[in-house]
């Protein structure tokens, strides 16, 4: 409508102007002026239209910016998860206070489980004889000093007989010496007889002591020696020889059967092998490039059939000529018996440590919608809070933002909280 009004006005003006110049000689000039007026009218209309269009676009642009600004200003709320204390206890969700800690730089190397050489005992036979009884078998637990086998040995029988004879003779010579000493004091006997009796007495004493030491060298117990020295008892089964375990542990090898001859040339010399596997060794293969980072006393964690901590106790100063690698030995606790000699493991060695302002266990982290979250304990339950993480040593994680020291967080079974949170959101959507 506005455009039609402008056109009508231009035509009216043109009519009057044409009438005016119709009676004059400058009619052509009047026509030119009329064309100029029409051009100005069209130009004015174009400018008005452009202004209207500009205002319209300006209004639209302002609306979009405001919406984006509003979106940009929104804060992502931490999801709340209501959970009673009884439910938390039943789910075994452990809670720990976030605190400063250490982040370790670790070196991963392969390793092999070995028996601790200080906890392995061989059970030998110190005498020549024949196995007549095996009190323990393969896999049985034994204690140090426990009798685990019995042999019949002529060598032992001869040694016991010799000791008994030496004890009896010593008793006789002791009596004769005391008698001669009494007679000499009463001047009934000569000094020469006293000296001869004393010499015989001393010789009997030496023979008795030598016979006793021989039995001890053969492994005859002190209790058995005392029983033999009691001349009031009748000596029986002198050939019996007891084999005892040198250490506590389990029998990992049984090398003989009943009736096996022992101790002679070409015969067996060991009956059992006993190992105490409450501690084991881990032999690690470390390249020469990594060897400068390894120090005795460093802590490590091995993974395989399970997971355990240990300590490096030996670093070889010599490289293996075949593999050109260094031999490193670590000691690991094995009270539960999960580590078996011969099995392969991977070891994480803490070669360097740095202190962080806030460190949490890696088990406390869960990934939700692509972000790292921790579950902060609240009076009502938990709050899934987004955090920014830093260095990670495999067990612990550095937290850069999103969490403060002293805040209690869930560190175990956090996957249950994640599942419960997803379930709550799904029910809310429906």
């Amino acid at each position: 409508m506005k455009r039609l009004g402008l056109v009508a006005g231009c035509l009216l003006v043109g009519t009057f102007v044409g009438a005016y110049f119709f009676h004059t000689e400058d009619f052509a000039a009047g026509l030119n002026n009329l064309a100029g007026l029409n051009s100005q009218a069209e130009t004015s209309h174009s400018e008005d239209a452009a202004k209207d269009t500009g205002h319209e676009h300006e209004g639209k642009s302002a609306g979009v910016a405001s919406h984006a600004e509003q979106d940009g200003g929104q804060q992502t709320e931490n999801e709340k998860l209501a959970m009673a204390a009884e439910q938390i206890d039943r789910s075994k969700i452990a809670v720990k206070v976030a605190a400063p800690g250490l982040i370790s730089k670790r070196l991963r190397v392969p390793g092999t489980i070995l028996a601790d050489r200080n906890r392995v005992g061989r059970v030998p036979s110190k005498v020549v004889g024949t196995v007549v009884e095996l009190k323990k078998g393969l896999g049985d637990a034994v204690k140090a000093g426990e009798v685990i086998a019995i042999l019949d040995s002529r060598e032992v029988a001869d040694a016991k007989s010799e000791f008994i004879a030496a004890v009896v003779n010593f008793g006789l010579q002791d009596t004769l010496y005391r008698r001669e000493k009494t007679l000499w004091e009463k001047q009934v006997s000569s000094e020469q007889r006293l000296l001869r009796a004393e010499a015989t007495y001393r010789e009997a004493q030496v023979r008795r002591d030598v016979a006793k030491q021989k039995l001890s060298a053969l492994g005859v117990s002190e209790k058995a020696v005392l029983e033999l020295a009691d001349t009031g008892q009748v000596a029986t089964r002198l050939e019996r020889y007891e084999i005892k375990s040198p250490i506590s542990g389990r029998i990992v090898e049984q090398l003989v059967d009943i009736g096996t001859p022992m101790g002679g040339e070409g015969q067996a010399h060991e009956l059992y092998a006993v190992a105490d596997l409450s501690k084991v060794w881990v032999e690690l293969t470390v390249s020469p490039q990594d060897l400068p980072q390894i120090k005795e006393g460093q802590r490590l964690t091995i993974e395989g059939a399970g997971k355990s901590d240990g300590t490096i106790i030996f670093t070889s100063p010599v490289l293996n000529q075949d593999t050109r690698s260094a031999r490193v030995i670590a000691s690991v606790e094995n009270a539960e018996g999960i580590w078996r000699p011969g099995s392969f493991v991977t070891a994480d060695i803490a070669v360097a440590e740095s202190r962080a302002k806030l460190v949490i266990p890696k088990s406390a982290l869960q990934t939700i919608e692509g972000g790292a979250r921790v579950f902060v304990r609240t009076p009502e339950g938990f709050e899934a809070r987004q955090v920014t993480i830093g260095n990670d040593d495999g067990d612990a994680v550095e937290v850069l933002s999103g969490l403060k020291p002293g805040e209690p967080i869930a560190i175990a079974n956090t996957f249950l909280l994640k599942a419960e949170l997803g379930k709550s959101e799904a029910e809310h959507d429906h």
Side-chain angles (χ1 to χ4, degrees):
M1 293 295 295
K2 186 177 181 180
R3 184 177 181 180
L4 290 176
L6 290 173
V7 173
C10 291
L11 291 176
L12 181 60
V13 172
T15 302
F16 282 106
V17 172
Y20 171 76
F21 286 104
F22 183 76
H23 296 283
T24 64
E25 296 178 352
D26 296 325
F27 179 73
L31 291 177
N32 291 334
N33 290 335
L34 179 60
L37 290 174
N38 289 335
S39 176
Q40 290 177 1
E42 290 180 0
T43 302
S44 175
H45 171 69
S46 299
E47 290 176 355
D48 291 341
K51 289 181 180 180
D52 292 341
T53 304
H55 284 298
E56 182 179 355
H57 283 293
E58 183 179 357
K60 289 183 180 180
S61 298
V64 171
S66 176
H67 180 67
E69 189 176 277
Q70 184 178 1
D71 289 344
Q74 288 180 349
Q75 298 292 331
T76 303
E77 294 186 359
N78 297 319
E79 292 88 348
K80 310 283 185 176
L81 181 61
M83 183 175 289
E86 296 78 7
Q87 186 179 357
I88 295 175
D89 293 338
R90 286 197 306 270
S91 301
K92 297 181 179 180
I93 300 172
V95 176
K96 183 180 179 181
V97 174
L102 297 176
I103 296 294
S104 301
K105 177 185 176 183
R106 294 184 172 270
L107 175 66
R108 291 179 66 88
V109 295
T112 305
I113 300 294
L114 302 176
D116 187 335
R117 303 303 300 176
N118 299 320
R119 295 173 177 265
V120 175
R122 296 283 176 175
V123 184
S125 173
K126 298 181 180 180
V127 301
V128 176
T130 303
V131 178
V132 295
E133 186 177 353
L134 294 173
K135 292 183 174 291
K136 296 292 183 179
L138 190 64
D140 289 345
V142 297
K143 295 182 179 180
E146 182 181 1
V147 177
I148 56 180
I150 294 178
L151 274 62
D152 276 351
S153 172
R154 181 179 298 177
E155 181 182 1
V156 172
D158 292 341
K160 289 180 178 179
S161 299
E162 183 181 343
F163 175 71
I164 293 173
V167 170
V168 172
N169 183 54
F170 172 76
L172 176 60
Q173 298 304 323
D174 180 57
T175 301
L176 294 175
Y177 170 65
R178 291 178 183 276
R179 179 184 176 187
E180 289 296 334
K181 186 176 181 181
T182 302
L183 294 174
W184 178 76
E185 290 175 349
K186 294 180 179 181
Q187 297 183 353
V188 175
S189 175
S190 64
E191 184 179 2
Q192 184 177 3
R193 288 175 61 89
L194 175 63
L195 294 176
R196 188 182 300 115
E198 183 180 3
T200 306
Y201 164 76
R202 298 300 181 187
E203 182 180 356
Q205 186 181 30
V206 170
R207 288 182 178 180
R208 184 201 62 176
D209 293 343
V210 170
K212 182 180 179 180
Q213 292 178 8
K214 185 176 182 180
L215 288 176
S216 298
L218 292 176
V220 179
S221 66
E222 186 70 22
K223 180 181 178 181
V225 171
L226 292 176
E227 291 176 354
L228 292 171
D230 187 356
T231 56
Q233 295 183 359
V234 178
T236 59
R237 308 299 300 270
L238 297 180
E239 75 284 356
R240 302 278 291 183
Y241 177 70
E242 296 178 343
I243 302 289
K244 298 178 180 179
S245 176
I247 62 171
S248 298
R250 293 185 66 190
I251 293 178
V252 294
E253 288 186 67
Q254 180 178 328
L255 306 173
V256 297
D257 303 315
I258 294 177
T260 302
M262 300 290 301
E265 185 177 354
Q267 297 176 351
H269 291 271
E270 294 180 352
L271 292 86
Y272 299 103
V274 180
D276 177 8
L277 298 179
S278 60
K279 280 188 177 182
V280 293
W281 283 353
V282 184
E283 183 176 4
L284 307 173
T285 303
V286 182
S287 66
Q289 293 79 7
D290 295 327
L291 191 58
Q293 304 181 70
I294 304 300
K295 302 288 188 299
E296 293 179 3
Q298 285 177 328
R299 300 289 298 171
L300 55 76
T301 301
I302 62 170
E303 296 180 358
K307 190 173 183 179
S308 297
D309 296 329
T311 306
I312 295 177
I313 61 173
F314 173 73
T315 302
S316 175
V318 181
L319 297 181
N320 186 295
Q321 295 298 322
D322 298 326
T323 62
R324 307 302 300 171
S325 61
R327 186 170 182 254
V328 178
I329 300 295
S331 179
V332 176
E333 294 287 342
N334 189 34
E336 298 180 359
I338 61 175
W339 304 114
R340 299 177 180 272
S343 56
F344 296 102
V345 296
T346 300
D348 281 338
I349 307 172
V351 296
E353 290 182 333
S354 60
R355 180 164 291 278
K357 294 183 178 179
L358 189 57
V359 175
I360 63 173
K362 198 170 183 180
S363 58
L365 285 178
Q366 289 291 336
T367 302
I368 301 176
E369 297 180 354
R373 303 287 185 97
V374 296
F375 291 90
V376 181
R377 185 74 166 92
T378 64
E380 296 78 17
F382 289 94
E383 174 185 282
R385 188 180 299 176
Q386 188 166 354
V387 295
T388 304
I389 60 175
N391 294 326
D392 178 355
D393 67 5
D395 295 324
V397 179
E398 179 185 12
V399 177
L400 301 177
S401 64
L403 190 65
K404 296 180 181 179
E407 291 188 290
I409 60 172
I411 62 170
N413 290 334
T414 54
F415 65 92
L416 297 176
L417 297 175
K418 179 180 178 181
E420 192 69 23
L421 183 65
K423 179 180 177 182
S424 300
E425 291 179 351
E427 291 176 354
H428 178 73
D429 292 340
H430 285 295

